[in-house]
Amino acid sequence: MVFTGDDISALEKRYRGRLINATSGAKSASLIGTKSEGGDENLALFSSVVHLGANPPLIGFIMRPVHVERHTYQNIISTGRYSVNAVTEAMHVRAHQTSAKYHAGTSEFESCKIDKSYLGDFPVPFCAESPVKIGCILEDDIPVPANGTHLMVGRIVLLSVADAFLHPDGFIDLAAAETAAVTGLDGYHCLGPVRRYSHADPQKEPKRFFP
Amino acid sequence: MVFTGDDISALEKRYRGRLINATSGAKSASLIGTKSEGGDENLALFSSVVHLGANPPLIGFIMRPVHVERHTYQNIISTGRYSVNAVTEAMHVRAHQTSAKYHAGTSEFESCKIDKSYLGDFPVPFCAESPVKIGCILEDDIPVPANGTHLMVGRIVLLSVADAFLHPDGFIDLAAAETAAVTGLDGYHCLGPVRRYSHADPQKEPKRFFP
């Protein structure tokens, strides 16, 4: 099926939402944890976490337009801190449930039965069972004028990786860690076993070195 | 293993690169096609394509700092057009090979044996075998001051989805389409079968409705 820009504009709203959400591919599912200045905890599912750079260590994610109440955004702006937690297969249904519209003051950690944990003196809770837990300080909040979304830029100040999944060279085996990928708003996948290849060279074919 | 910000700064450069690249999770692998004003074609692998919004239909991706020669960036800025093509399992080794440093004027379509195709009057080639092909017009080029990367914002003006993978409600089954996910710079995964769940409701458990 081929859709032009006009075809896309003419689509029924929910059909268009599912279609366009899926075009960008299956991506990592992350739970972002925050805490309000009043101490209310919040946990929300995102599939837009991207790598920005390793030195300084920066990751980004996309925040939807903030003209409606968004606890995650408000908490990040007021405290400057958030946690990014990898969603596993075992957690994916509970993670999906965090996208329900709970009232302010309701902790999704409790409502969705996701155990929290604290690491060091980082003031925001992590998901205890996540094999990759990232503590971020907000570095920048960049508006995207085209549609009112924001690119939230975070600097990694704390990182916990379950030892079993950390390769000797720094790579994290997310398939062995059983992390989940997500397509669009409601589709979840497990990851097949990772295959790693040599750095690409114009004169050679890529060589698989793991497994 | 727990890493503080100082620990991360002190890591050996390549170890840090692998570690931090993997923290953001396994993400969709996309080949971005461009053409220079002189007609040279270019194809490059990205794992940072994200959904920005459905109406208007917008996707983003992260461009690394452009102080060195980046054909993809130069071509997008000069022509305002690019294609985003889903990488399949069958293509993933050839897609990895596009990250080799080929000389300007070398087409990765040819060097990496990836057949190209044109759709309608869109001036940039697509990857013929990609089950999801997206034609974009550059809508905005947003600098990320924290590290010199750019968020490239594209409006979808053409979209081709292989019929077999398009659900009746607009969802695209990327596992059935055998698209690949990528961790960091060198790790590739297939996707397990998709499971879809009902819209989350605070009063109910999510209900799986597909398959």
Side-chain angles (χ1 to χ4, degrees), chain A residues 3-4 11 17 40 87 95 99 112 159 203:
Chain A
F3 302 87
T4 64
L11 290 171
D40 289 337
V87 172
S99 56
C112 304
L159 171 64
Q203 309 302 329

Side-chain angles (χ1 to χ4, degrees), chain B residues 1-169:
Chain B
M1 184 86 98
V2 175
F3 302 88
T4 65
D6 286 344
D7 293 338
I8 293 169
S9 297
L11 290 171
E12 186 271 326
K13 183 185 169 190
R14 285 166 300 177
Y15 185 104
R16 179 174 56 226
R18 292 186 199 97
L19 178 71
I20 302 300
N21 262 282
T23 57
S24 52
K27 288 180 296 271
S28 56
S30 303
L31 282 165
I32 295 190
T34 55
K35 202 181 218 179
S36 72
E37 288 191 298
D40 290 337
E41 294 161 352
N42 193 272
L43 192 64
L45 185 62
F46 287 81
S47 65
S48 59
V49 175
V50 290
H51 175 74
L52 290 174
N55 189 23
L58 298 172
I59 57 175
F61 72 97
I62 302 296
M63 178 68 69
R64 289 167 63 192
V66 293
H67 49 75
V68 300
E69 189 182 34
R70 302 237 181 256
H71 303 146
T72 299
Y73 183 76
Q74 291 155 359
N75 294 347
I76 292 176
I77 294 299
S78 62
T79 70
R81 303 287 186 281
Y82 54 104
S83 71
V84 178
N85 306 273
V87 171
T88 61
E89 274 296 300
M91 296 162 71
H92 82 278
V93 180
R94 288 174 285 140
H96 181 71
Q97 182 64 11
T98 66
S99 57
K101 285 206 176 76
Y102 289 102
H103 292 294
T106 304
S107 166
E108 288 85 0
F109 285 100
E110 282 158 34
S111 304
C112 304
K113 301 185 178 62
I114 295 174
D115 287 342
K116 66 189 173 190
S117 66
Y118 281 86
L119 288 179
D121 57 2
F122 198 75
V124 171
F126 294 88
C127 299
E129 63 197 292
S130 285
V132 180
K133 304 178 180 78
I134 311 172
C136 285
I137 290 184
L138 181 67
E139 186 84 14
D140 210 348
D141 169 7
I142 302 177
V144 177
N147 71 348
T149 53
H150 294 235
L151 173 65
M152 308 295 284
V153 177
R155 184 159 46 85
I156 301 177
V157 295
L158 194 60
L159 171 63
S160 166
V161 181
D163 292 353
F165 313 124
L166 189 58
H167 281 200
D169 68 355

Side-chain angles (χ1 to χ4, degrees), chain A residues 26-30 49-51 59 84 86 132 134 172 174 179-181 191, chain B residues 19-28 47 181-184 187 189:
Chain A
K27 289 181 294 274
S28 56
S30 302
V49 176
V50 290
H51 175 75
I59 58 175
V84 178
V132 180
I134 311 172
I172 306 170
L174 296 166
T179 67
L191 296 175
Chain B
L19 178 71
I20 302 300
N21 262 282
T23 57
S24 52
K27 288 180 296 271
S28 56
S47 65
V182 58
T183 297
H189 311 264

